[in-house]
mmCIF file of all heavy atoms in Angstrom:
data_model
loop_
_atom_site.group_PDB
_atom_site.id
_atom_site.type_symbol
_atom_site.label_atom_id
_atom_site.label_comp_id
_atom_site.label_asym_id
_atom_site.label_seq_id
_atom_site.Cartn_x
_atom_site.Cartn_y
_atom_site.Cartn_z
ATOM 1 N N TYR A 449 -26.948 32.036 34.474
ATOM 2 C CA TYR A 449 -28.077 32.305 33.586
ATOM 3 C C TYR A 449 -28.917 33.440 34.165
ATOM 4 O O TYR A 449 -29.247 33.450 35.346
ATOM 5 C CB TYR A 449 -28.929 31.051 33.423
ATOM 6 C CG TYR A 449 -30.037 31.222 32.402
ATOM 7 C CD1 TYR A 449 -29.742 31.440 31.072
ATOM 8 C CD2 TYR A 449 -31.376 31.171 32.787
ATOM 9 C CE1 TYR A 449 -30.745 31.598 30.130
ATOM 10 C CE2 TYR A 449 -32.390 31.321 31.855
ATOM 11 C CZ TYR A 449 -32.070 31.542 30.529
ATOM 12 O OH TYR A 449 -33.066 31.709 29.602
ATOM 13 N N GLY A 450 -29.222 34.408 33.313
ATOM 14 C CA GLY A 450 -30.006 35.546 33.764
ATOM 15 C C GLY A 450 -29.185 36.691 34.311
ATOM 16 O O GLY A 450 -29.726 37.720 34.710
ATOM 17 N N SER A 451 -27.862 36.541 34.325
ATOM 18 C CA SER A 451 -26.990 37.607 34.832
ATOM 19 C C SER A 451 -26.674 38.653 33.766
ATOM 20 O O SER A 451 -26.082 39.687 34.063
ATOM 21 C CB SER A 451 -25.675 37.013 35.353
ATOM 22 O OG SER A 451 -24.926 36.458 34.278
ATOM 23 N N GLY A 452 -27.060 38.371 32.518
ATOM 24 C CA GLY A 452 -26.742 39.288 31.422
ATOM 25 C C GLY A 452 -25.349 39.100 30.876
ATOM 26 O O GLY A 452 -24.810 39.986 30.203
ATOM 27 N N GLY A 453 -24.756 37.936 31.130
ATOM 28 C CA GLY A 453 -23.379 37.688 30.716
ATOM 29 C C GLY A 453 -23.143 37.812 29.227
ATOM 30 O O GLY A 453 -22.140 38.405 28.801
ATOM 31 N N ARG A 454 -24.059 37.260 28.424
ATOM 32 C CA ARG A 454 -23.880 37.350 26.965
ATOM 33 C C ARG A 454 -23.925 38.814 26.511
ATOM 34 O O ARG A 454 -23.087 39.249 25.723
ATOM 35 C CB ARG A 454 -24.956 36.549 26.238
ATOM 36 C CG ARG A 454 -24.876 36.686 24.718
ATOM 37 C CD ARG A 454 -26.031 36.006 23.996
ATOM 38 N NE ARG A 454 -26.070 36.425 22.611
ATOM 39 C CZ ARG A 454 -25.353 35.885 21.623
ATOM 40 N NH1 ARG A 454 -24.523 34.892 21.877
ATOM 41 N NH2 ARG A 454 -25.452 36.322 20.386
ATOM 42 N N GLU A 455 -24.893 39.562 27.026
ATOM 43 C CA GLU A 455 -25.023 40.978 26.652
ATOM 44 C C GLU A 455 -23.783 41.759 27.076
ATOM 45 O O GLU A 455 -23.283 42.608 26.325
ATOM 46 C CB GLU A 455 -26.263 41.573 27.313
ATOM 47 C CG GLU A 455 -26.535 43.011 26.932
ATOM 48 C CD GLU A 455 -27.772 43.577 27.600
ATOM 49 O OE1 GLU A 455 -28.637 42.780 28.036
ATOM 50 O OE2 GLU A 455 -27.870 44.819 27.703
ATOM 51 N N ILE A 456 -23.273 41.469 28.247
ATOM 52 C CA ILE A 456 -22.050 42.128 28.726
ATOM 53 C C ILE A 456 -20.880 41.780 27.807
ATOM 54 O O ILE A 456 -20.073 42.645 27.450
ATOM 55 C CB ILE A 456 -21.758 41.713 30.179
ATOM 56 C CG1 ILE A 456 -22.794 42.335 31.116
ATOM 57 C CG2 ILE A 456 -20.342 42.128 30.603
ATOM 58 C CD1 ILE A 456 -22.815 41.745 32.511
ATOM 59 N N GLY A 457 -20.787 40.511 27.417
ATOM 60 C CA GLY A 457 -19.726 40.086 26.515
ATOM 61 C C GLY A 457 -19.800 40.791 25.174
ATOM 62 O O GLY A 457 -18.770 41.209 24.613
ATOM 63 N N GLU A 458 -21.018 40.949 24.640
ATOM 64 C CA GLU A 458 -21.196 41.644 23.362
ATOM 65 C C GLU A 458 -20.780 43.112 23.477
ATOM 66 O O GLU A 458 -20.093 43.645 22.591
ATOM 67 C CB GLU A 458 -22.655 41.556 22.924
ATOM 68 C CG GLU A 458 -23.077 40.182 22.433
ATOM 69 C CD GLU A 458 -24.536 40.132 22.030
ATOM 70 O OE1 GLU A 458 -25.393 40.642 22.810
ATOM 71 O OE2 GLU A 458 -24.836 39.594 20.956
ATOM 72 N N LYS A 459 -21.193 43.745 24.561
ATOM 73 C CA LYS A 459 -20.841 45.160 24.756
ATOM 74 C C LYS A 459 -19.332 45.318 24.920
ATOM 75 O O LYS A 459 -18.730 46.247 24.369
ATOM 76 C CB LYS A 459 -21.569 45.722 25.981
ATOM 77 C CG LYS A 459 -23.071 45.899 25.790
ATOM 78 C CD LYS A 459 -23.716 46.454 27.049
ATOM 79 C CE LYS A 459 -25.234 46.569 26.901
ATOM 80 N NZ LYS A 459 -25.638 47.558 25.899
ATOM 81 N N LEU A 460 -18.728 44.410 25.673
ATOM 82 C CA LEU A 460 -17.283 44.460 25.884
ATOM 83 C C LEU A 460 -16.531 44.284 24.568
ATOM 84 O O LEU A 460 -15.556 44.999 24.298
ATOM 85 C CB LEU A 460 -16.869 43.381 26.883
ATOM 86 C CG LEU A 460 -15.382 43.289 27.228
ATOM 87 C CD1 LEU A 460 -14.892 44.574 27.863
ATOM 88 C CD2 LEU A 460 -15.126 42.109 28.165
ATOM 89 N N ALA A 461 -16.981 43.353 23.739
ATOM 90 C CA ALA A 461 -16.338 43.129 22.442
ATOM 91 C C ALA A 461 -16.429 44.369 21.561
ATOM 92 O O ALA A 461 -15.469 44.722 20.859
ATOM 93 C CB ALA A 461 -16.972 41.924 21.745
ATOM 94 N N ARG A 462 -17.585 45.055 21.604
ATOM 95 C CA ARG A 462 -17.730 46.288 20.816
ATOM 96 C C ARG A 462 -16.812 47.385 21.349
ATOM 97 O O ARG A 462 -16.197 48.119 20.569
ATOM 98 C CB ARG A 462 -19.188 46.764 20.830
ATOM 99 C CG ARG A 462 -20.110 45.951 19.932
ATOM 100 C CD ARG A 462 -21.409 46.680 19.665
ATOM 101 N NE ARG A 462 -22.226 46.833 20.854
ATOM 102 C CZ ARG A 462 -23.127 45.952 21.259
ATOM 103 N NH1 ARG A 462 -23.319 44.832 20.561
ATOM 104 N NH2 ARG A 462 -23.843 46.168 22.339
ATOM 105 N N MET A 463 -16.720 47.483 22.666
ATOM 106 C CA MET A 463 -15.836 48.497 23.263
ATOM 107 C C MET A 463 -14.380 48.256 22.895
ATOM 108 O O MET A 463 -13.613 49.199 22.684
ATOM 109 C CB MET A 463 -15.981 48.489 24.792
ATOM 110 C CG MET A 463 -17.310 48.985 25.308
ATOM 111 S SD MET A 463 -17.428 48.750 27.117
ATOM 112 C CE MET A 463 -19.124 49.258 27.424
ATOM 113 N N MET A 464 -14.007 46.978 22.842
ATOM 114 C CA MET A 464 -12.625 46.619 22.521
ATOM 115 C C MET A 464 -12.385 46.547 21.022
ATOM 116 O O MET A 464 -11.239 46.484 20.571
ATOM 117 C CB MET A 464 -12.288 45.259 23.158
ATOM 118 C CG MET A 464 -12.309 45.254 24.672
ATOM 119 S SD MET A 464 -12.047 43.584 25.377
ATOM 120 C CE MET A 464 -10.337 43.268 24.899
ATOM 121 N N ASP A 465 -13.498 46.526 20.251
ATOM 122 C CA ASP A 465 -13.435 46.372 18.795
ATOM 123 C C ASP A 465 -12.735 45.065 18.413
ATOM 124 O O ASP A 465 -11.810 45.031 17.609
ATOM 125 C CB ASP A 465 -12.721 47.564 18.148
ATOM 126 C CG ASP A 465 -12.895 47.585 16.630
ATOM 127 O OD1 ASP A 465 -13.892 47.024 16.132
ATOM 128 O OD2 ASP A 465 -12.017 48.153 15.940
ATOM 129 N N VAL A 466 -13.226 43.977 19.048
ATOM 130 C CA VAL A 466 -12.659 42.653 18.797
ATOM 131 C C VAL A 466 -13.796 41.672 18.492
ATOM 132 O O VAL A 466 -14.964 41.945 18.800
ATOM 133 C CB VAL A 466 -11.842 42.145 20.012
ATOM 134 C CG1 VAL A 466 -10.681 43.089 20.302
ATOM 135 C CG2 VAL A 466 -12.721 41.976 21.248
ATOM 136 N N PRO A 467 -13.498 40.513 17.906
ATOM 137 C CA PRO A 467 -14.540 39.528 17.602
ATOM 138 C C PRO A 467 -15.213 38.975 18.862
ATOM 139 O O PRO A 467 -14.594 38.903 19.928
ATOM 140 C CB PRO A 467 -13.775 38.422 16.870
ATOM 141 C CG PRO A 467 -12.542 39.074 16.357
ATOM 142 C CD PRO A 467 -12.182 40.110 17.375
ATOM 143 N N PHE A 468 -16.469 38.598 18.706
ATOM 144 C CA PHE A 468 -17.272 38.037 19.802
ATOM 145 C C PHE A 468 -17.715 36.632 19.408
ATOM 146 O O PHE A 468 -18.185 36.407 18.296
ATOM 147 C CB PHE A 468 -18.493 38.917 20.049
ATOM 148 C CG PHE A 468 -19.471 38.347 21.041
ATOM 149 C CD1 PHE A 468 -19.242 38.449 22.407
ATOM 150 C CD2 PHE A 468 -20.625 37.697 20.607
ATOM 151 C CE1 PHE A 468 -20.145 37.923 23.325
ATOM 152 C CE2 PHE A 468 -21.534 37.168 21.513
ATOM 153 C CZ PHE A 468 -21.284 37.286 22.878
ATOM 154 N N TYR A 469 -17.556 35.682 20.338
ATOM 155 C CA TYR A 469 -17.934 34.296 20.063
ATOM 156 C C TYR A 469 -18.806 33.734 21.179
ATOM 157 O O TYR A 469 -18.434 33.737 22.345
ATOM 158 C CB TYR A 469 -16.690 33.407 19.913
ATOM 159 C CG TYR A 469 -15.840 33.752 18.726
ATOM 160 C CD1 TYR A 469 -14.719 34.566 18.876
ATOM 161 C CD2 TYR A 469 -16.159 33.279 17.456
ATOM 162 C CE1 TYR A 469 -13.934 34.899 17.787
ATOM 163 C CE2 TYR A 469 -15.377 33.604 16.356
ATOM 164 C CZ TYR A 469 -14.274 34.413 16.529
ATOM 165 O OH TYR A 469 -13.495 34.745 15.448
ATOM 166 N N ASP A 470 -19.971 33.271 20.803
ATOM 167 C CA ASP A 470 -20.856 32.538 21.704
ATOM 168 C C ASP A 470 -21.469 31.429 20.856
ATOM 169 O O ASP A 470 -20.816 30.419 20.604
ATOM 170 C CB ASP A 470 -21.910 33.475 22.311
ATOM 171 C CG ASP A 470 -22.831 32.771 23.305
ATOM 172 O OD1 ASP A 470 -22.559 31.602 23.648
ATOM 173 O OD2 ASP A 470 -23.825 33.365 23.731
ATOM 174 N N ARG A 471 -22.676 31.638 20.374
ATOM 175 C CA ARG A 471 -23.289 30.628 19.503
ATOM 176 C C ARG A 471 -22.559 30.530 18.167
ATOM 177 O O ARG A 471 -22.735 29.552 17.431
ATOM 178 C CB ARG A 471 -24.760 30.977 19.273
ATOM 179 C CG ARG A 471 -25.571 31.007 20.575
ATOM 180 C CD ARG A 471 -27.052 31.218 20.320
ATOM 181 N NE ARG A 471 -27.756 31.467 21.558
ATOM 182 C CZ ARG A 471 -28.096 32.670 22.016
ATOM 183 N NH1 ARG A 471 -27.787 33.747 21.304
ATOM 184 N NH2 ARG A 471 -28.744 32.809 23.146
ATOM 185 N N GLU A 472 -21.744 31.545 17.876
ATOM 186 C CA GLU A 472 -20.940 31.514 16.649
ATOM 187 C C GLU A 472 -20.037 30.291 16.614
ATOM 188 O O GLU A 472 -19.684 29.785 15.539
ATOM 189 C CB GLU A 472 -20.104 32.794 16.541
ATOM 190 C CG GLU A 472 -20.888 34.076 16.338
ATOM 191 C CD GLU A 472 -21.528 34.632 17.598
ATOM 192 O OE1 GLU A 472 -21.347 34.042 18.680
ATOM 193 O OE2 GLU A 472 -22.210 35.671 17.491
ATOM 194 N N LEU A 473 -19.635 29.795 17.792
ATOM 195 C CA LEU A 473 -18.773 28.610 17.856
ATOM 196 C C LEU A 473 -19.496 27.368 17.346
ATOM 197 O O LEU A 473 -18.874 26.466 16.787
ATOM 198 C CB LEU A 473 -18.292 28.385 19.290
ATOM 199 C CG LEU A 473 -17.316 29.434 19.845
ATOM 200 C CD1 LEU A 473 -17.085 29.211 21.325
ATOM 201 C CD2 LEU A 473 -15.989 29.377 19.085
ATOM 202 N N ILE A 474 -20.814 27.314 17.544
ATOM 203 C CA ILE A 474 -21.598 26.186 17.034
ATOM 204 C C ILE A 474 -21.575 26.202 15.511
ATOM 205 O O ILE A 474 -21.394 25.167 14.871
ATOM 206 C CB ILE A 474 -23.047 26.249 17.549
ATOM 207 C CG1 ILE A 474 -23.080 26.140 19.073
ATOM 208 C CG2 ILE A 474 -23.889 25.138 16.917
ATOM 209 C CD1 ILE A 474 -24.458 26.326 19.669
ATOM 210 N N ALA A 475 -21.765 27.388 14.927
ATOM 211 C CA ALA A 475 -21.736 27.514 13.469
ATOM 212 C C ALA A 475 -20.384 27.105 12.903
ATOM 213 O O ALA A 475 -20.309 26.409 11.876
ATOM 214 C CB ALA A 475 -22.075 28.945 13.066
ATOM 215 N N LEU A 476 -19.304 27.510 13.570
ATOM 216 C CA LEU A 476 -17.963 27.143 13.110
ATOM 217 C C LEU A 476 -17.732 25.641 13.238
ATOM 218 O O LEU A 476 -17.121 25.026 12.349
ATOM 219 C CB LEU A 476 -16.906 27.903 13.927
ATOM 220 C CG LEU A 476 -16.792 29.403 13.656
ATOM 221 C CD1 LEU A 476 -15.863 30.053 14.676
ATOM 222 C CD2 LEU A 476 -16.284 29.657 12.237
ATOM 223 N N ALA A 477 -18.224 25.046 14.328
ATOM 224 C CA ALA A 477 -18.082 23.605 14.514
ATOM 225 C C ALA A 477 -18.849 22.846 13.440
ATOM 226 O O ALA A 477 -18.358 21.846 12.899
ATOM 227 C CB ALA A 477 -18.583 23.205 15.903
ATOM 228 N N ALA A 478 -20.043 23.316 13.122
ATOM 229 C CA ALA A 478 -20.858 22.676 12.091
ATOM 230 C C ALA A 478 -20.183 22.788 10.732
ATOM 231 O O ALA A 478 -20.170 21.837 9.939
ATOM 232 C CB ALA A 478 -22.244 23.309 12.058
ATOM 233 N N GLN A 479 -19.603 23.949 10.478
ATOM 234 C CA GLN A 479 -18.921 24.179 9.207
ATOM 235 C C GLN A 479 -17.730 23.246 9.047
ATOM 236 O O GLN A 479 -17.491 22.691 7.969
ATOM 237 C CB GLN A 479 -18.471 25.641 9.140
ATOM 238 C CG GLN A 479 -17.937 26.074 7.787
ATOM 239 C CD GLN A 479 -17.584 27.553 7.799
ATOM 240 O OE1 GLN A 479 -17.473 28.187 8.853
ATOM 241 N NE2 GLN A 479 -17.401 28.115 6.624
#
């Protein structure tokens, strides 16, 4: 926590042009 991991993951996903999942998994589980 506080390492910037989520932000790094988002940037990496944009660089790779691939989907990004974090809190999105909660929405999918709820759905």
Side-chain angles (χ1 to χ4, degrees):
Y449 186 64
S451 67
R454 176 186 167 84
E455 183 180 339
I456 290 166
E458 287 179 313
K459 289 180 183 294
L460 180 61
R462 284 197 293 271
M463 291 174 185
M464 296 175 67
D465 192 25
V466 299
F468 173 80
Y469 295 97
D470 182 9
R471 299 186 190 99
E472 293 79 2
L473 292 171
I474 298 175
L476 289 172
Q479 189 177 15

